[in-house]
Amino acid sequence: MKHILLATLLLMTCLLSAKTTSAQWFEEAKFGIFIHWGLYANIGYSEWNMDHFRIPPEEYSEMAKEFNPQKFDPKEWAKLFKKSGAEYAVVVSKHHDGFCLYDTKFTDYNIMNTPFGKDAVRLLKEACEAEGLKFGIYYSVMDWHHPDYLPRRYWDKRSSENADLNRYKEFFKNQVREIITEYNPAIIWFDGGWEGTFDDVETAEITKMIYNLKPDILINNRLSNNAEGDFKTPEGFVPATGIRNEKGEKTVWETCSTMGDCWGYNPYQTNFFSSRNLIRMLVEITSKGGNLLLNVGPTADGEIQPEFEDRLLKMGDWLKENGKAIYGCNENKFPVIPFFGTSVTSENKIYLHVFLKDKDNKIKLPVINGISSVKFLNGNNELNYKTEKGFTTVFIPDELPDLNSSVIEISLSDTRQNFEFNPTYKGDIILSASEAVFDPIYTEIEKIQYYDKVLLGNWNFKANGKAVKWEFNLAESGKYLLEIYATGKIEEAGEMKTEITVNDSVFTEILPGLPKWTALNKALDKPGLSFETTLNKDKNIVKISMPELINDKSLILEKIVLKKTGEMK
């Protein structure tokens, strides 16, 4: 019995060690490439073509007879991914349409029975690993082709009388086992588990099977509705404050995103993120402790379209110069980021990612102690800085070296930092939008910076009781005129009931609305709200919240101006 217990403990220790190592490489990698490719590329438009156009399975499967991507060059794809600065790639082996892009023993509906007749997943795996990239495989739980998969799409006229979901579950497990043993992926990326195929017990059994086959594999959280996985997968957005568990502890996560509107190939797509948008997306995700899995949707011929290639190469050029401030970096540690950009940390370094300079060529930061040097990452000239009045200021030149994101490296002689942002003012005060923090810190509200303004979105019933706040000290108390330069979006019914808290006083006001474009791109030349209030000597807190919300609202905020009007008696 003791031997069995000892063996069990040893196995658990080995599994934990393997899992810790695999999670470490993943968290340090920061950037991966997602590849959505299959029969749907023959049609174009979307990877959901079969569902969007209500194509019967027997008709859709005929496209396999035409799938012949003669221009597919896995080595060129892998070289491009490497040049982009990505550290790993994840390819779709089977999407919801059920077609398998690899050589499987469990269905004839696969790439080996097409005119192409080659195992695309294996070819790409070998090419990626030859370039030093980790390789992952996406596999859909949902399967619109398989006769035993339930529930059927509403437009699928096949009889489900003889369908047996348990038979499909065995098919699923056989294919997953085959993928793990035959392709040895670093990641298994499930999707389509939201239809309740597997309950909690079955999810645990499948997860255990996978870990027994490959202890160091990483599994995402989409196997079923309640699957935890090794990492979370927000889709198409960056969580406002990263992702934390119920205890407020950091979790592993990865945002998957397209470069435009579609995952699969769409020849009609004209709307793409710019390379600058994508670089800043990667920076923002890194600063919040996550990874970016950026998608390409190759053509039916097997080419990666020029719009994708151009953006990936530009990201790679930027990462060659600035990768030190991305790979292996930890999330932002500042409680406030009072400049247009963000920050990350690594050992004894703080890296400031500056998107645009302030109008006075200063970057205001929380107090940083023990600074040994401040310079641009790829420059030799030291930048001036000073710490006073509860914050640290870095002085920057008129021109930034990189309009995508200029990186300033702050080297520390002491890594023990509190990073307090505790400014002390005298007389009139300007509280910029970028100095605001969420209250509580981790919330659903989205914060997007637009130079000297921020757009606070997703403010709905879930965020009732949540606020943005400023904390500061005053050298002396006094009477003040408080002016809020902010507006609601007129597209969302405009006017908003707004609650402003100044220390212990609460003011309820109606904030007018403006069109989003006008509010974001033009100066707010007059305050949306103003009223008289008093401020204390020493600590003061100003909060803005929106009570009684039902639908999503957005607050476009530039600043709060506090004009001293008199002394306190």
Side-chain angles (χ1 to χ4, degrees), residues 236-238 255-263 269-281 292 294-295 307-308 310-312 314-315:
F237 73 99
V238 182
T255 282
C256 55
S257 176
T258 64
M259 290 197 212
D261 299 322
C262 304
W263 296 97
Q269 180 175 220
T270 57
N271 181 36
F272 298 94
F273 289 118
S274 69
S275 55
R276 182 178 300 171
N277 290 148
L278 295 172
I279 288 167
R280 291 183 178 181
M281 184 190 298
L292 170 62
L294 187 62
N295 185 72
E307 293 87 349
F308 295 156
D310 174 69
R311 284 157 176 78
L312 290 177
K314 286 177 178 175
M315 292 182 76

Side-chain angles (χ1 to χ4, degrees), residues 554-568:
S554 298
L555 177 68
I556 297 167
L557 176 65
E558 182 177 338
K559 61 188 174 183
I560 292 179
V561 177
L562 291 156
K563 296 178 178 177
K564 191 169 184 179
T565 58
E567 304 294 333
M568 293 286 289

Side-chain angles (χ1 to χ4, degrees), residues 35-41 47 67-69 72-73 77 91-95 99 101 111 116 120-121 124 263-265 295-303:
I35 306 110
H36 275 71
W37 194 41
L39 296 186
Y40 39 85
E47 73 289 348
F67 191 72
N68 193 15
F72 171 50
D73 188 335
W77 284 21
V91 67
V92 171
S93 66
K94 184 194 80 164
H95 206 265
F99 178 74
L101 207 64
I111 197 168
F116 185 66
V121 171
L124 193 53
W263 296 97
Y265 173 61
N295 185 72
V296 296
T299 69
D301 288 336
E303 291 185 300

Side-chain angles (χ1 to χ4, degrees), residues 58-118:
E58 61 275 12
E59 180 182 336
Y60 186 89
S61 62
E62 287 294 304
M63 287 196 298
K65 297 176 181 178
E66 304 170 5
F67 191 72
N68 193 15
Q70 289 299 305
K71 295 181 180 179
F72 171 50
D73 188 335
K75 292 181 180 179
E76 287 302 311
W77 284 21
K79 286 178 183 176
L80 173 61
F81 301 158
K82 184 68 174 179
K83 287 179 182 177
S84 76
E87 294 284 296
Y88 62 101
V90 178
V91 67
V92 171
S93 66
K94 184 194 80 164
H95 206 265
H96 310 327
D97 62 0
F99 178 74
C100 297
L101 207 64
Y102 69 102
D103 184 6
T104 174
K105 300 179 180 68
F106 298 99
T107 176
D108 292 334
Y109 193 43
N110 69 69
I111 197 168
M112 305 306 290
N113 297 310
T114 68
F116 185 66
K118 300 172 188 173

